[in-house]
Amino acid sequence: MKLILVCLLNLGLVGLAVAGQLSARVTGDEIRLRVAPVDPIDPFRGAYVDLAYPDITERTTHQTGDAYVSLARRGQVWEATSVSVDPPADGLFLKCHDDGSRLACGIESFFVPQDRAREIESDVGRGDAVAVVKVDSRGNAALVSVRTR
């Protein structure tokens, strides 16, 4: 009986760890965001494209903790309109972590096969790519893909 309880507790903890990403993927609205490259390879985690979101992550509340970035559609992509320590009453927004100088929204790394990482990095570096992101009603975001415009 104790073993079953320990197993259920572990499953619950794993579920809690991925709940935001899963919620965004299942119930979220799909949006596209401008991206910029950062760094393509991590020897411990494999090939990935590390992305920056110039319309979003360079904003800050100048405080440490949760930050909420309101979004508005501008043509084919979405851009930040404001950032606040309180969730907006309406509209689409991202829940991010503010370290006092930059925002991290959990959509900064995109894992792909190594040959594809170099290709995506080139597209992103030329400004020819956008991130396809799903965002749920609580601001949880999941990076779905990176596409060439």
Side-chain angles (χ1 to χ4, degrees), residues 50 127 139:
D50 199 5

Side-chain angles (χ1 to χ4, degrees), residues 15-97:
L16 186 61
V18 299
Q21 285 273 323
L22 186 59
S23 174
R25 287 180 185 276
V26 172
T27 66
D29 295 321
E30 187 174 287
I31 65 171
R32 294 166 194 255
L33 302 168
R34 278 186 341 112
V35 292
V38 179
D39 185 12
I41 300 292
D42 181 333
F44 299 107
R45 297 191 294 176
Y48 73 101
V49 179
D50 199 5
L51 302 170
Y53 296 84
D55 298 325
I56 295 169
T57 56
E58 293 174 6
R59 294 171 171 260
T60 181
T61 61
H62 301 289
Q63 299 176 22
T64 301
D66 288 341
Y68 299 88
V69 179
S70 295
L71 300 170
R73 189 176 190 143
R74 304 276 192 258
Q76 296 290 321
V77 296
W78 291 69
E79 295 177 355
T81 58
S82 66
V83 61
S84 171
V85 294
D86 299 311
D90 60 352
L92 198 59
F93 65 93
L94 295 173
K95 180 180 178 185
C96 304
H97 176 76

